[in-house]
Amino acid sequence: MDEQDYLQYIETDTAKRCGKPCIKGTRITVIDILEMLAEGMSTDEILTDHPNLQAVQIKAALLYAANTITLIRLTVGNAKLAVVERVLIDNQQTIHSFLDDEGKGLLVL
């Protein structure tokens, strides 16, 4: 599934879920999908709990997340920093979060 394929399943609407990327036609956000998977739910369990979803939409959410978040490790002096760059495709907004070695947030731009 390439970018054009997975983007057909994702939408952002400022009137729905504060503009967070959602599965088209639902109020289920990409983050909701990621959190369910992180909690250990299988694709089949998610589909059972949300019968309006399809497996291809879950895959699209994963691809959306993978393609919109980039982790870059930087070293500044003796401090190692991680820069998490999130590029929101629809409105071209970029958010940079600077984290220390322990993953604690230092600054968000």
Side-chain angles (χ1 to χ4, degrees):
M1 181 181 295
D2 65 21
E3 184 174 336
Q4 292 306 316
D5 290 336
Y6 75 79
L7 288 178
Q8 71 181 321
Y9 298 104
I10 308 294
E11 67 181 352
T12 55
D13 179 350
T14 56
K16 185 170 32 171
R17 300 291 304 265
C18 298
K20 294 177 183 174
C22 291
I23 303 299
K24 261 188 195 166
T26 75
R27 296 184 57 78
I28 299 169
T29 67
V30 169
I31 298 225
D32 293 336
I33 299 285
L34 295 175
E35 287 175 346
M36 286 185 265
L37 292 168
E39 290 170 3
M41 291 181 74
S42 68
T43 299
D44 289 337
E45 290 171 322
I46 294 170
L47 295 174
T48 299
D49 285 356
H50 303 278
N52 56 329
L53 285 181
Q54 301 172 5
V56 68
Q57 293 169 309
I58 294 171
K59 183 176 181 180
L62 290 171
L63 287 168
Y64 180 90
N67 285 299
T68 56
I69 299 173
T70 304
L71 180 61
I72 304 167
R73 297 227 174 259
L74 299 176
T75 301
V76 179
N78 291 331
K80 292 182 181 176
L81 299 176
V83 179
V84 178
E85 179 180 71
R86 182 172 183 225
V87 179
L88 304 175
I89 293 170
D90 296 327
N91 62 7
Q92 300 300 309
Q93 180 181 4
T94 303
I95 300 168
H96 298 278
S97 300
F98 295 88
L99 309 173
D100 64 12
D101 287 341
E102 297 173 359
K104 295 178 182 167
L106 299 176
L107 175 66
V108 178
L109 301 174

